[in-house]
Each structure stands twice: as structure tokens, then as C-alpha cells.
Amino acid sequence: MNKHKYLWYVGLITALIISFVITSAIGSAGISAWTAVAIILSKLPLLGNVIEPSWASMTETIIWQVRVPRNLTAMLVGSGLAVAGASFQGLLRNPLADPYILGISSGAAVGAALALTLTGVFGSIVFGVAPAAFVGAMLAIFLVYNLAKLGNRVAVETLILAGVVVGSFMTAVLSLLLIRMYSNLHQVVFWLMGSLGKGGWEGLTWSALIMLLAIVGLCLLARPLNLMAMGDTVAQGLGVSTEKLKRIILVLASLVTALAVSIAGTIGFVGLVVPHIVRLLIGPDHRALLPLSAFAGAIFLLWADTMARVILAPSEIPVGVVTAFIGAPFFGYLLRRRKPI
Amino acid sequence: MKRLRSVALLSVIVMLLMIATGCGQSSTTPEAVVEPNNQQDIADNLPQRIVSIVPGMTEVLFDLGLSDRIVGVTTNCDYPAAAADKAKVGDWIINMESLLALEPDLVVGMPSTNSLTLAELDQLGINTLAYEAQSVADIYELYRIIGARTGTTEAAEAIIADTKAQIESVNKRIAAVPEADRLRVFLEVGYEPLYTASKGSLQDELLTLAGGINVVQMNQAWVEYSVESVLLDNPDAIVILHPASTKADLVNRSGYDKLTAVQENRITDAIDANILVRPTKRIADGITQLAEFLYE
């Protein structure tokens, strides 16, 4: 069994690297694949000195300043959402859980809409959209946790219900904001549909670091998460401090989701579908599920974003539309495929 | 027992239906708040209580000297300044009650913006006039139509002649710029999502009249564009026509520092977007300012 797992790791990591290289060569600008590869290689510390630049300066700008950071963002957001989705599915013992189930996306949307509205009202940027979305998301999860808490414990079923409550409320606030600032409607709607095009290299640094640390943290909690699947009482009997674990996983998964949403808007289906696909392939053991979901999520979003960039070139579809188009039918297929008990 | 129950239920339902339709009958006679649509009176009675439900039309009405006959505008009608003194009927969404309370005899709007409102008003029997102007020729036609409808044909013709003269003088000034020095321009109409205007849009025509060449040559008025394509097109100048980005924001975007427009500092966010977007006589000012930005 272990040998098989290693094969999966090697396979997915290789697929990720190849996907990254290929998708960096595809785009509306029509740059040849070899040039793209050469440009990327030339930026590497050692290899770089060997390669002679034989391309236009604008080509290098397009590849290195626009496509590469965008693809790195896609990989980051994809892996974050997939791991968060898998964690929530394990924590909440609910196969329909996705990273947004606890009202995080609605909170982030309110934050973003508020930032865009204030920018529109004052004519210049009051809060950045990304930080505002992050604050909104964390506020939502804070409300959800406190709403669901009973004494010192929180039942996972109550968490989901609290998520629905907070999510609905935030959506109502969002609707109010949208209608009051009608002129900004298209900006907020565009943000809601998800886009990986913002930020460039600057957008990546801090968020990337924190997200990677949180993802690693979640992967390390795989074993207790396995035990949680058997119920709180059994897990406690086996030595898991369930309340502490719930809190840590909630914090880490929400952090990852909030960062992902603040960078890229609300991209759906990645957190829902990717863990299920990986589970189909390697089983429900979280020790393998979480890390492999991270890689699979990165590959998934990388290709989804490439399709979003290329299908209607030079126009771009929001990547959330592509993930929904792929994810929803695939999920339907998964449902059909279950064997009768 | 079961039969009795179903009969009783049926008769209750029938009674309710009769009551409902009876109530319906009494409410179909219209309240006399609005005058019915009298087509034959139009030629004789020029409208005296005009409401505009879109800023572009408000400008046109004021231009034609109808300020005394305008009774309502929207909160977005910011030009001319006198429009601020008029009663407001809403912003992007029109408040029907406020509008009807003004007892208008003509409501002017644009099909693209106000189709639902205009349909509602037609159903209520209020006179409406809607015209979509997507080119300079359309704008002249717009002034003529409104002029004919409100009895201000002379003023309309005067405005058209004035505007044509202004555009002519700009053309003369640009004629001095040789073909080889004409600049390739990117019109940024929106950001996130990035939108530009291409062939078939008013902005493209205005740019051409100002002596610029649109880098985006697609047969579509509004095009959602990608940053990569902008970089590849490498425009000589960029005009920002929306409030979402300032010139400083644009320069800081990833990859933009390599553009010719950025390196030669030919970017502007200072031209009022309204004079290049609204179909009014101010497009002449828009063309003038564009030409000055490009070739001065």
C-alpha cells in the first residue's frame, strides 16, 4: 500500500511541474512553447547564465510578469481550496462540505463589496479589496464558531447550521451593498465570479507563505482527523482532544480559505470536487488524502484557469465559471456512479 | 361523509373564486392619476412637464433650452448644474411613485438603460420617447428628434451646426500631424473586468475623429480584453475612462511598466469620462481634449 502512495506522490508532482510549464506557454498572446520554457529557465539561478535571450522584451514581460505569477497563484489557490475542502469534509463528517460551507465566502464577499463601495464613494482606495475580503471572511467564521458553541463544546452539525445562518445574513448585507452602489455592480459581480489575474508577484509573497504554512499544518493533522470520522466520543476514547482539534482545524482551514478568497475571489467547486476525486483514487485516509488533494487541486485550477484565459481569447471568462462547468457535471457523474447498498 | 366533505370543499373554493374575480373586476377601472396616451394631441400640445430618466437625455433637454419644462431628473444627472434643482425620480432604478406624482406628459430615456421602466410607463399610458445614439450621426439625429417633439427644432439645428463646427476645427488642427506620427491608443473603459471599446462604439468613432488609432480592431463595440493582449498590442497611449483606476494604479500593474505608453508617459485619467460616453453635444469637447492629450 505504501509503495502505491509514493507512486501517486511522484505522479502528481510530475504532472504539476509539466502542467505549470505547459500552461505558461499557452495564452492569448501566441508565444511559442519553446520560447516560454526558455524564458522560465533563464530566470533560474544556475541555468539562467547559460541561456542567451533571443526573444522580444515584451514576450519576456508577458511570460514572467503576467503568466507565471498568475499560474503560481492558481497553484496556490487551488491547493489551498482543495486541502481546506478535504479538511472540512473530514471535520464536519459531511461529503457535501466545501471551504465555503461556514459562511466564509459570504463574509469575504461583503468585505470586498464594502471595499469597492467605499472606493467608489471616496474616489480613491480606502481599504484594499484583498485585506477587506480577508477580514470579512475571518469575521464570518468567528461569528459561526461563537454561534455554534455551547459552553465549551461545539457540535459539528451545529457548525453547519450556524454557517447557513451567518452566510444568509452576509448575503443579505451584500445584496444591500450591491443595490446601493449600482455603479459598482459589475466590479463586485466580477470579483464574486473569481479571477486569478490580479496581484502579479507582489500579491503572492506574504499570503503565499502563510497559506503554505497553514496547508502543511493541516496535512500534519491528518491522523487525528481520521479518528474524528468515527465520531467525537470514539475519537476522545482514542486520545484525541476533540474540541482543541476542532478549533485548530477550523482556524487553519478558514485561514487558508480566507486567504484564497481574498486573493482570487470566490472560486467554487475546487474544494468540493477535488477531494472527492482523490478519495476515489486512493481512499479516505487523510494522511494521503490531504497532501495529494493539495497537488491535485493545484493542477485542476491551473488547467481551469488556462481554459478560462484561452477559450474566448482575447476575452477571459472568470475561472469560477470554468470550474463550475467542469465540477458540476463531474459531481453528478460521481453521484450516479455509487453502487446501490 | 367523505362525499359531503368534498362537496363542501368544492363550494368553498368556488365561492372564493367568485369573490376574488369580483374584487378583480372593481380594481380594473383605472384611477385617474395619469392621462391616457393621446397620440392626436401630440402635434398640438407640446409637452410641458418632461421627465428625464437618464443623465444623457437630461443634458440634451437642457441644451435645447427646455429647463422650464423639465420637472424631474435622476440623482445621477450631474450636468448642467441647474439639473440639481429639479425633483428627483430615482438613480439607476426609477421610483415609479415619485415619477407619477410629478404628472409628466413626456418621459425621455434610452432603450439600453431604461427598457424595463419605459415598458412599464407605456403600459400605464404615459408618453415616452426613447432613442439610442451610438454614433456621432445618431447624436445629431437625437437632437433633431427631441427638437421636433418639443418644438425646439431651431435650437436643435443650431446645436448640430455648432458641434459640427467644433469637430471641424479639431480636424483642421490634427491634419497637420503626419500619418506616420498618429498614435495607437488603448481606450480603457473598465478594469476588473478589463473592457475596451472597439469598432461600432461611440468611443471608437470619437477616437478616430481625434486623430487616434484604436489598437483593438474587433467588430464588436465592447470587448472584454486580457492584460496579455494589451501588452502584446503595446499601445502608444492609454486613456482611462472609468473611475476604478487612477493613472498611478495603472502604471503599477504587473507588466505595464514595459508598455510604450507608460515609458513615454502618455496616459491620462483626467478626461471626464462623461463627455466621451454620453451621447450629447459635449462629445465635441471630448474630441478636443482627446486630440490635445494625444498631439499637444
Side-chain angles (χ1 to χ4, degrees), chain B residues 66-130:
Chain B
L66 293 165
S67 68
D68 292 338
R69 297 200 258 162
I70 302 174
V71 294
V73 296
T74 74
T75 53
N76 292 329
C77 300
D78 53 3
Y79 185 88
D85 300 330
K86 300 292 179 183
K88 302 293 188 299
V89 295
D91 41 46
W92 293 270
I93 301 170
I94 304 296
N95 187 326
M96 273 310 196
E97 283 187 12
S98 317
L99 197 154
L100 295 174
L102 293 170
E103 293 181 17
D105 48 21
L106 178 65
V107 177
V108 293
M110 292 185 196
S112 58
T113 323
N114 310 115
S115 53
L116 292 172
T117 316
L118 292 168
E120 249 185 277
L121 290 168
D122 276 335
Q123 274 201 335
L124 290 169
I126 301 182
N127 295 330
T128 61
L129 193 158

Side-chain angles (χ1 to χ4, degrees), chain B residues 170 173-174 210 285-296:
Chain B
V170 174
R173 282 156 68 187
I174 314 173
D285 294 334
I287 298 174
T288 315
Q289 288 187 22
L290 256 184
E292 280 171 3
F293 161 67
L294 290 174
Y295 298 118
E296 220 102 301

Side-chain angles (χ1 to χ4, degrees), chain A residues 27-29 57-58 61-62 65-67 69 125 179-180 182-183 186-187 190 198 200-201 309 314-317, chain B residues 91-93 191-193 218 223-229 231-232 234 243-244 246 249 252 254-255 257-259:
Chain A
S28 58
S57 142
M58 192 53 84
T61 307
I62 294 180
Q65 302 258 53
V66 178
R67 268 194 216 158
I125 299 183
I179 213 67
R180 286 311 299 156
Y182 203 72
S183 61
H186 62 283
Q187 274 188 296
F190 179 73
K198 300 165 269 195
W201 286 107
R309 278 190 290 131
S315 302
E316 289 180 359
I317 328 177
Chain B
D91 41 46
W92 293 270
I93 301 170
Y191 185 61
E192 287 184 348
M218 295 176 66
V223 185
E224 208 235 319
Y225 222 52
S226 65
V227 170
E228 276 186 28
S229 304
L231 292 178
L232 207 64
N234 200 4
T246 60
D249 292 333
N252 283 331
S254 191
D257 50 339
K258 296 290 192 309
L259 286 176

